[in-house]
């Protein structure tokens, strides 16, 4: 057993040693704040222009991820009259993405990922392996609202 443990200790670095986990987390937090600015532009401002009474707030939420550990980020809550929408961060360790946020409302959960290919937020439409990525923009948010409200 000792021979095995000594050999294991001298092994080459693991997969996790080759990735800059804290750098990924920091980039995700920056991108998350940029997503919330887009939410204000595409969603909150339009609710207000349409005459809704809108309240927004950010609350700390905890994320724990393998290789990164525990960290805090803001979830974003929007109430427009009787419509409640929460943008709930899920973390950075997502297949083919640099992060994920769930848009939760009316018993629905829409996945939004930080696309690995272009580092832009995308709406996930459908389920794997038959999903499509749609740009996170006003037109696609309108479609989500029409389909789910």
């Amino acid at each position: 057993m000792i021979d095995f443990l000594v050999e294991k200790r001298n092994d080459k670095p693991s997969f996790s040693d080759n990735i800059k986990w804290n750098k990924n987390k920091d980039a995700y937090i920056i991108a998350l704040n940029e997503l919330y600015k887009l939410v204000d532009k595409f969603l909150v401002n339009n609710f207000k222009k349409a005459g809704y009474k809108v309240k927004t707030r950010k609350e700390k939420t905890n994320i724990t991820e393998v290789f990164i550990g525990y960290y805090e980020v803001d979830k974003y809550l929007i109430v427009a009259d009787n419509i409640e929408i929460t943008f709930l961060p899920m973390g950075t360790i997502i297949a083919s993405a640099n992060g994920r946020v769930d848009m939760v409302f009316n018993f629905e959960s829409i996945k939004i990922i930080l696309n690995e290919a272009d580092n832009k937020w995308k709406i996930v439409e459908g389920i794997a392996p038959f999903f499509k990525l749609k740009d996170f923009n006003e037109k696609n948010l309108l479609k989500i609202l029409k389909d789910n409200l």
Side-chain angles (χ1 to χ4, degrees), residues 34-52:
E34 292 303 313
L35 174 67
Y36 294 159
K37 289 177 186 174
L38 293 174
V39 168
D40 284 342
K41 178 180 176 183
F42 299 144
L43 200 57
V44 174
N45 289 344
N46 283 319
F47 272 127
K48 288 178 180 177
K49 288 177 186 175
Y52 285 79

Side-chain angles (χ1 to χ4, degrees), residues 9-87:
R9 185 172 186 216
N10 294 326
D11 277 350
K12 293 180 180 175
S14 70
F15 164 77
S16 67
D17 293 336
N18 296 325
I19 297 175
K20 307 283 189 243
W21 294 107
N22 281 327
K23 183 179 175 185
N24 292 358
K25 175 192 73 172
D26 294 342
Y28 173 66
I29 292 170
I30 290 168
L32 191 58
N33 289 320
E34 292 303 313
L35 174 67
Y36 294 159
K37 289 177 186 174
L38 293 174
V39 168
D40 284 342
K41 178 180 176 183
F42 299 144
L43 200 57
V44 174
N45 289 344
N46 283 319
F47 272 127
K48 288 178 180 177
K49 288 177 186 175
Y52 285 79
K53 182 180 177 187
V54 180
K55 293 182 182 179
T56 64
R57 73 179 185 277
K58 293 178 181 172
E59 292 180 358
K60 294 294 182 193
T61 188
N62 303 320
I63 296 177
T64 303
E65 297 189 84
V66 177
F67 306 123
I68 294 175
Y70 162 89
Y71 60 101
E72 282 188 343
V73 294
D74 288 327
K75 64 181 175 180
Y76 193 25
L77 299 97
I78 301 164
V79 178
D81 288 350
N82 62 341
I83 299 169
E84 295 182 24
I85 302 172
T86 302
F87 288 84

